[in-house]
Amino acid sequence: MRFRWLPWAAALLGLLTFLLVRGSLTDDGYITLAYAKNLAMHGEWALVPGSTANSATSPLDVLLLGLLTFVTRISGSGHPVLALGALTVLTSGALGWAWLRLMRAFKLASWVGLLGVVLVLVNPFLLSATGLEVLLVPAILLWLTVFAVEGRPVLFGVAAALAVLTRLDLVVFVLVITFCSAEIRKHFWRAFGTAVLVSAPWFLFSWFALGSFIPDTLVIKQDQDGLFGAWGYFSGPMMYFLYQPVTVMLTFASALVGVVVLLAWLGVRFARRWEDFPALAPVVGLGAGGVAYYIVYSTLGVGPYHWYYVTPVVTTGMFAVLVAGVWLSKAQESPELRAGPPRLALGLAWVVVASTVVLDLAQGVPWPSPVIFGNWASSTDYARVGQALGKRLNGASVAGPGEIGTLAYYCDCQILDVFSDRSQVADIVRKRLADSGEVTRLGLRINYHWFDRTQQPRPVDYRLLYDKGPASGPDSWTVYSAAKGVGHFTLVRA
């Protein structure tokens, strides 16, 4: 078929973007890689060896990375970063394949599908969070849309299960797309039953073996109130705009257009009927899901972490491209539909994408640091400190400085904080239970029913402290961050 090249082109672009960013992964990305490393090497669900934890937001991402890391052990040792590259290529190819299916379903031009792929893969907010599940999310949600469009309830159920295993909050999209899809509603119980059969084993394992149905990251992030000052999730884009206006404008442009297109579609949909116009309701569910997701997150009390914006931005952007592409396709068949507006919109989208590529490359090739970045040290400096720390501790434990992912990955030591030490999670849960209302308290009690909330914090032998300026004295390491400048870590007795 004439479109078969698209998945391969998407996979190639995924490889190129990974090579661009592989040396500048964020600290949170290394949390996922540390989980995958311990799973592949030790068979443990843990951030640090020997300490079971449940702070991995995306179980599916860790499982896939763990499997690919295990495969890389053929060389003698696991290579999680190589596994991340392989997963990036495979996920990009899957994204391209989903666009291929939609192109066939709606008779779209090949360049429209390519635009949809590139719009996602060059997104600077997404690239700045490589290592997290930010690419897995749009790929799975687009497949969810594909199966809704094609009216396949069983495969829709499988995709729905994979979505909530990627991030539980993606249930928002599952519900909205289900509501918008007549064929899925008609066979709801078939889709629902499939989703439960596929996802239930993990969630039951997590509830009983790990002590919580929902990963600890929800209560951890909610406990970080005030970390970003007065900024919250809803106002977060303005926070980023104040110091990187061009990046934010290019990133959010497609999302804003998507919201306008969604409102316009709703207006037209209820104003008149076109009998020969394709059934776009499942596609509208993708765009409406992005808007609903933003609203839900704005009410959760979490901080404006940049990777939280990737999901609503890319889904509303893909929705806009799809609707414009369908309009253009139908305009070539029907004289009452003008081809000018969608052609102009898609042309401007290519201009935005080209400008985004220029922005990405201007950061350096390869990236010395992510475009959106706030860590205390570069990944290279964190790796150096982590390796030195592992040799220095010689089995002793250390309290983390507040950023733990890269240090834990390279240290292979007992570096403890709320992400690796569940006794510290117990303290947060006890506090939330005491301060919450009846409904929230009930939810917390159910979620943490099998979790030992009485456990006390583990003792530590050392503390690792961060401060600004260069290092001085023993057990101290100078680091540099594009966001924070020169700083240092110092190891002190607890």
Side-chain angles (χ1 to χ4, degrees):
M1 297 293 290
R2 59 194 179 104
F3 296 149
R4 284 182 178 174
W5 56 268
L6 185 59
W8 298 101
L12 176 59
L13 182 57
L15 174 61
L16 293 176
T17 59
F18 176 74
L19 294 176
L20 178 69
V21 306
R22 69 178 299 273
S24 62
L25 304 181
T26 62
D27 194 68
D28 284 83
Y30 271 103
I31 290 179
T32 304
L33 290 174
Y35 265 93
K37 180 181 179 181
N38 285 315
L39 181 62
M41 304 303 293
H42 309 295
E44 299 174 336
W45 197 262
L47 177 56
V48 299
S51 298
T52 298
N54 196 19
S55 57
T57 304
S58 177
L60 182 61
D61 197 27
V62 173
L63 290 169
L64 292 174
L65 281 172
L67 175 62
L68 292 171
T69 301
F70 183 82
V71 171
T72 66
R73 291 181 61 182
I74 193 172
S75 66
S77 60
H79 301 281
V81 176
L82 177 61
L84 174 61
L87 184 59
T88 300
V89 171
L90 292 172
T91 306
S92 300
L95 180 70
W97 189 13
W99 270 103
L100 175 63
R101 297 278 281 264
L102 291 170
M103 287 161 56
R104 290 172 176 169
F106 294 115
K107 299 178 182 179
L108 304 179
S110 58
W111 59 270
V112 173
L114 181 61
L115 172 61
V117 169
V118 178
L119 187 72
V120 172
L121 294 183
V122 303
N123 183 302
F125 273 57
L126 183 149
L127 293 178
S128 296
T130 299
L132 294 168
E133 63 281 357
V134 286
L135 185 54
L136 201 57
V137 168
I140 289 177
L141 291 179
L142 199 62
W143 274 106
L144 190 73
T145 306
V146 168
F147 295 135
V149 168
E150 295 178 350
R152 299 179 178 227
V154 173
L155 291 177
F156 182 89
V158 173
L162 295 179
V164 296
L165 288 172
T166 301
R167 289 190 66 96
L168 189 56
D169 50 37
L170 295 185
V171 70
V172 172
F173 286 89
V174 174
L175 295 174
V176 174
I177 295 176
T178 298
F179 175 78
C180 291
S181 308
E183 194 65 23
I184 302 303
R185 293 198 310 271
K186 181 179 177 181
H187 301 285
F188 173 78
W189 292 110
R190 191 184 303 175
F192 177 77
T194 303
V196 170
L197 285 175
V198 174
S199 62
W202 168 260
F203 286 115
L204 290 174
F205 168 80
S206 179
W207 196 33
F208 287 107
L210 303 180
S212 60
F213 185 83
I214 301 172
D216 296 333
T217 43
L218 178 59
V219 293
I220 291 172
K221 296 299 185 182
Q222 289 177 328
D223 191 56
Q224 295 175 338
D225 185 39
L227 183 64
F228 292 89
W231 299 104
Y233 182 81
F234 182 80
S235 59
M238 181 56 67
M239 179 190 76
Y240 290 108
F241 177 82
L242 291 177
Y243 75 95
Q244 287 191 304
V246 175
T247 301
V248 171
M249 285 190 293
L250 291 175
T251 298
F252 284 83
S254 61
L256 294 175
V257 171
V259 173
V260 173
V261 171
L262 178 63
L263 294 174
W265 182 90
L266 291 172
V268 171
R269 174 67 179 81
F270 292 104
R272 62 172 298 178
R273 294 181 65 87
W274 275 309
E275 297 297 337
D276 62 337
F277 205 79
L280 286 178
V283 174
V284 172
L286 179 67
V291 174
Y293 187 92
Y294 195 96
I295 294 171
V296 169
Y297 252 69
S298 297
T299 66
L300 287 179
V302 296
Y305 294 96
H306 67 272
W307 53 88
Y308 288 171
Y309 296 101
V310 172
T311 298
V313 165
V314 298
T315 51
T316 51
M318 290 191 296
F319 159 73
V321 171
L322 269 167
V323 172
V326 172
W327 184 355
L328 179 62
S329 176
K330 293 301 295 182
Q332 294 170 349
E333 302 173 1
S334 176
E336 69 179 73
L337 290 174
R338 298 175 59 186
R343 187 175 284 117
L344 175 62
L346 292 168
L348 291 175
W350 273 112
V351 172
V352 170
V353 165
S355 301
T356 304
V357 171
V358 172
L359 176 75
D360 292 337
L361 296 178
Q363 186 70 5
V365 180
W367 278 7
S369 66
V371 173
I372 307 295
F373 187 58
N375 293 146
W376 290 329
S378 66
S379 59
T380 303
D381 282 349
Y382 260 139
R384 174 173 52 83
V385 175
Q387 291 167 344
L389 198 60
K391 296 176 182 177
R392 173 66 178 81
L393 290 174
N394 194 28
S397 62
V398 58
E403 294 181 347
I404 188 175
T406 319
L407 291 172
Y409 179 87
Y410 285 100
C411 181
D412 269 336
C413 61
Q414 290 299 302
I415 180 167
L416 305 178
D417 79 351
V418 70
F419 288 95
S420 62
D421 177 13
R422 297 208 79 196
S423 66
Q424 297 186 39
V425 175
D427 184 58
I428 295 177
V429 173
R430 290 194 297 266
K431 184 171 68 173
R432 288 295 308 280
L433 285 169
D435 297 341
S436 299
E438 290 297 328
V439 176
T440 302
R441 188 179 299 119
L442 176 62
L444 287 168
R445 288 189 182 280
I446 294 173
N447 185 53
Y448 288 101
H449 179 74
W450 301 106
F451 178 55
D452 180 11
R453 301 193 296 269
T454 65
Q455 57 186 300
Q456 298 301 310
R458 294 166 55 182
V460 294
D461 302 303
Y462 293 90
R463 295 188 181 279
L464 187 65
L465 307 176
Y466 172 82
D467 203 355
K468 295 180 180 180
S472 61
D475 291 337
S476 189
W477 300 272
T478 298
V479 296
Y480 174 78
S481 161
K484 306 296 183 182
V486 175
H488 66 276
F489 290 97
T490 304
L491 185 68
V492 299
R493 278 282 180 182

